[in-house]
Amino acid sequence: MAVPTQIDVVAAGGSTGWPQEIAWNSALRHVPAAATAAVVTIEADASRPNVISQIFWSYSAAPTAGSLKVEDVSGTIVWGPHHITAGGPGQVDFMPPLCNAVKNTAMIVTLASGGGAVEGVLSVNAYKRK
């Protein structure tokens, strides 16, 4: 499994905020139909790596095969997959944040299908590293 780069924000120059925030938009949240995986793709940037600080998820009921993972490039898992066995909300805070290993690659966050009539919701907080 590839080892993701993690950055220490305080050591990297301060905890005064995230100057390279990605403005909130609907692309950072996915609410698909029941029995469908929720996927958020943080687009590649030719000059800066992507950074994920938080992931929020929810299943409408207990999933049959719930899981959560992050890919650096399609097929290269850098975090997870972690099993989710209960319905309801959950979150993970990355401290230090999870960062692309290289520039110009997307980060893909996937909440697996809950199966049957179970609906999943996925939201991601992310920004670009300088």
Side-chain angles (χ1 to χ4, degrees):
M1 175 167 49
V3 177
T5 303
Q6 293 193 343
I7 60 173
D8 182 340
V9 176
V10 175
S15 57
T16 58
W18 309 106
Q20 301 297 317
E21 290 177 355
I22 299 171
W24 177 257
N25 63 60
S26 60
L28 295 175
R29 182 173 186 263
H30 189 205
V31 185
T36 305
V39 180
V40 169
T41 300
I42 303 163
E43 297 300 326
D45 186 310
S47 61
R48 300 175 297 172
N50 291 311
V51 180
I52 296 176
S53 58
Q54 295 175 304
I55 300 173
F56 303 92
W57 72 87
S58 175
Y59 281 115
S60 61
T64 56
S67 71
L68 183 67
K69 69 179 177 178
V70 178
E71 298 171 86
D72 196 359
V73 242
S74 187
T76 304
I77 298 171
V78 296
W79 184 85
H82 294 284
H83 300 290
I84 300 172
T85 59
Q91 81 178 64
V92 62
D93 300 312
F94 293 103
M95 192 51 73
L98 189 65
C99 181
N100 283 76
V102 295
K103 295 183 257 185
N104 208 23
T105 57
M107 289 187 89
I108 304 158
V109 182
T110 304
L111 178 69
S113 165
V118 178
E119 298 173 337
V121 176
L122 175 65
S123 296
V124 178
N125 282 336
Y127 60 97
K128 303 288 184 183
R129 188 170 78 175
K130 287 184 180 181

